[in-house]
Amino acid sequence: MLDVIILNASLPDGRSPIDIGILDGRIVAVERSLVADAHEVIDAAGQLVSPPFVDPHFHMDSTLSYGQPRVNQSGTLLEGIALWGELKPLLTQDAIIERAMAYCDWAVAKGLLAIRSHVDVCDPRLLAVEALLEVKRRVAPYLDLQLVAFPQDGVLRAPGALTNLTRALDMGVDVVGGIPHFERSMADGAESVRILCELAAERGLRVDMHCDESDDPMSRHIETLAQHTHRLGLHGRVAGSHLTSMHSMDNYYVSKLIPLIREAGVAAIANPLINITLQGRHDTYPKRRGMTRVPELLAAGVPVAFGHDCVMDPWYALGSGDMLEVASMGLHVAQMTGQAAMRQCYSAVTDTAAAILGLDGYGIAPGYRADLVMLQAGDPVEALRLRATRLLVMRAGKVIARTEPATARLALDGRPSSVSWRLDAR
C-alpha cells in the first residue's frame, strides 16, 4: 500500500500521462498506468508536476526590510549598500528571524523549497548569522536553507571581516562567499579570491562569490575565480554570481574567458530582476541590459541558474518569492524565446539550480525525495507564460500548500462563462 499516487501528471521532460507512486516520503514509481493501492490518490489531470523551485542566490538577512530605516529613493545599488549599512546597527535577531520566517512562508506557497542565502558577516556581532542559523533549523522540515558567509563590505576592505567570516563558518555556515569587485583595488580583489578559495579548499566547502557586479568591462575577477578553482581542484563546487561586467566586455576577451570558466567547472548564477534593474544606471542610450551572457555560457556547457537576489529590501522594493517571475525576466532579457531555450530558463530555477547547490535526492525518479509542485500549466513553457498557479506543493510526500486555480468568471453574452488563459488545444 502506497501513501500517495499522483495520476496523469505531465512532467517537465515532456512525458505524459505519468503516474507517481510515493511511500515513506520517497518516490517509488514513475510510470504509465501504475497499478497499486494508496491511502491518497491525487489526479493531476494533465497538469505539470515538477520538482520544487530552487533559488540559488538570495539575501534573507535583509528580506522584507523595505523602508527601514528609510526608502532607497534612487533605487541604485550603491544607495542600497549605504542603506544596509545604516540598518545593520539597528538589527535584532528576533526581527531578522521574524522577517525570514515570513519570507519562507511566501516561498513555500510558491513551491520554492530550497534557497541559498548570503548572510552578511561584516558585523562583528554576527547577529544575522546566528539568526539565519536558527531559521535554518526551524524550516528544515519543509525547506532547504543553505547559507553563504558573505563579506558585504569586502573581506579585506572591512576591518575584521576575514576573522568574522571564519567564525561564521565555524558556527555552521555552509559556503564561502566574497565580493572581490568591492575591494579597494583590483589587486585586493584578486587577492581576496585567492584567500577565500584556499579557505574553502582547506575546509572542503563550496564557494559562491558576488563577482563583477559592475558595468566595468575591466572588472574581471571571474577569470581569477576560474583560475583558482582550477588550481585548487574545486571543480563543480564554485559559482560566480551576477557576472554582469561580462555584458560590457569585448567579444574577443569573452571568447577566451568562457572556455576558462567551463574548464574550471565554475557555474554562473544570474539574477535577472536585479541585474536588469541596477546595472546600466550610468548609461543614457543605448542602455546596456545588465545581465550576463546567459545563452553564450549555456552554449559552452557552463551551468547557469537564476536567482531572485532580493525581495522588498534596501536594493529592491518588489518581489514575492516567485521563481517563475525570475525565470520569465531572464528569458526576456536574454532573448531566449526558442522552445529549447525557454525550457533552459525553467531549468535555471529548478534542476540546474539544485545541482549548483548540491541538493541530494532532487528530481522525479524512484528513490528521490517526494518534493513536488503541481502547477496550473501543461508544460514548462506554459508555466513561464502564465507564471502558473501552484495548485499543490508537497514536501516528502506531504501536501504543505494549496492554491485555488486561477480562473476568471465572465458575464458576456455568447461567450464562455470563465477563462483560465490556457489554449483549448493544451
Side-chain angles (χ1 to χ4, degrees):
M1 174 75 74
L2 299 179
D3 295 327
V4 182
I5 294 177
I6 300 175
L7 301 174
N8 303 313
S10 297
L11 302 188
D13 62 10
R15 287 179 290 166
S16 179
I18 294 293
D19 301 339
I20 303 169
I22 298 168
L23 179 65
D24 295 331
R26 296 274 170 178
I27 296 171
V28 295
V30 180
E31 57 191 65
R32 285 186 168 87
S33 303
L34 175 62
V35 178
D37 294 324
H39 294 291
E40 182 179 9
V41 177
I42 300 170
D43 188 357
Q47 308 277 19
L48 177 65
V49 176
S50 170
F53 295 104
V54 178
D55 186 351
H57 187 107
F58 194 63
H59 292 267
M60 196 171 287
D61 49 358
S62 60
T63 196
L64 307 189
S65 66
Y66 177 72
Q68 303 177 27
R70 58 184 177 84
V71 171
N72 184 338
Q73 295 294 336
S74 67
T76 61
L77 172 63
L78 291 181
E79 185 175 352
I81 292 174
L83 251 175
W84 179 239
E86 295 173 24
L87 179 57
K88 275 195 287 188
L90 308 177
L91 293 173
T92 67
Q93 283 192 36
D94 287 345
I96 295 171
I97 291 171
E98 183 179 0
R99 290 189 283 100
M101 291 298 297
Y103 182 77
C104 289
D105 294 342
W106 293 15
V108 167
K110 292 290 189 181
L112 170 55
L113 300 188
I115 300 172
R116 174 182 280 182
S117 176
H118 296 252
V119 52
D120 189 358
V121 299
C122 286
D123 179 354
R125 299 171 298 169
L126 295 181
L127 282 178
V129 173
E130 290 181 350
L132 290 191
L133 284 169
E134 173 60 17
V135 172
K136 178 179 179 177
R137 183 191 67 79
R138 293 188 191 183
V139 303
Y142 54 87
L143 187 149
D144 295 308
L145 178 57
Q146 192 175 94
L147 299 178
V148 183
F150 175 51
Q152 172 75 74
D153 301 324
V155 75
L156 299 179
R157 181 175 181 174
L162 182 56
T163 299
N164 295 341
L165 187 147
T166 304
R167 287 169 54 210
L169 298 177
D170 291 340
M171 292 164 64
V173 172
D174 309 281
V175 181
V176 176
I179 186 167
H181 58 278
F182 200 66
E183 302 291 352
R184 292 195 181 279
S185 67
M186 294 294 286
D188 277 359
E191 178 66 1
S192 76
V193 174
R194 181 190 68 79
I195 291 169
L196 293 167
C197 284
E198 289 180 353
L199 178 61
E202 176 186 327
R203 290 178 174 244
L205 298 176
R206 294 176 181 269
V207 176
D208 189 339
M209 290 196 188
H210 285 60
C211 211
D212 305 321
E213 190 180 2
S214 167
D215 294 324
D216 178 7
M218 299 310 294
S219 185
R220 297 178 174 184
H221 295 296
I222 180 57
E223 180 182 78
T224 306
L225 181 61
Q227 188 267 327
H228 286 300
T229 299
H230 188 66
R231 176 178 69 86
L232 295 166
L234 294 171
H235 306 77
R237 290 163 48 191
V238 176
S241 288
H242 291 292
L243 307 182
T244 59
S245 67
M246 201 181 297
H247 74 250
S248 298
M249 293 175 182
D250 68 82
N251 290 334
Y252 179 81
Y253 175 68
V254 172
S255 73
K256 168 193 171 187
L257 175 62
I258 290 180
L260 290 176
I261 296 171
R262 175 67 184 91
E263 180 185 3
V266 173
I269 301 174
N271 298 290
L273 294 170
I274 309 305
N275 296 155
I276 194 67
T277 301
L278 295 182
Q279 303 310 131
R281 288 296 185 114
H282 295 284
D283 295 353
T284 53
Y285 290 93
K287 185 180 284 287
R288 287 168 286 185
R289 289 171 178 249
M291 196 170 72
T292 195
R293 301 189 184 209
V294 173
E296 292 84 356
L297 288 161
L298 287 168
V302 175
V304 180
F306 293 153
H308 206 313
D309 199 4
C310 306
V311 171
M312 297 189 71
D313 67 8
W315 295 273
Y316 190 60
L318 307 173
S320 65
D322 187 350
M323 296 308 293
L324 284 177
E325 180 182 13
V326 174
S328 178
M329 177 62 79
L331 181 158
H332 286 87
V333 174
Q335 299 180 328
M336 294 177 65
T337 52
Q339 289 295 309
M342 287 190 284
R343 284 171 169 77
Q344 285 178 312
C345 290
Y346 190 86
S347 292
V349 295
T350 52
D351 52 275
T352 301
I356 292 172
L357 268 60
L359 298 181
D360 291 327
Y362 178 92
I364 302 180
Y368 289 7
R369 193 165 64 185
D371 296 351
L372 301 167
V373 182
M374 185 187 300
L375 298 106
Q376 190 180 358
D379 58 46
V381 174
E382 188 171 59
L384 286 165
R385 178 177 69 84
L386 297 174
R387 297 181 193 170
T389 298
R390 283 64 156 176
L391 301 170
L392 176 153
V393 182
M394 181 177 284
R395 173 74 163 191
K398 179 183 177 182
V399 176
I400 58 173
R402 291 182 185 271
T403 306
E404 291 299 313
T407 304
R409 298 191 181 279
L410 300 180
L412 303 173
D413 290 341
R415 301 305 302 153
S417 61
S418 65
V419 293
S420 62
W421 300 276
R422 299 177 66 182
L423 296 179
D424 291 341
R426 309 286 294 254

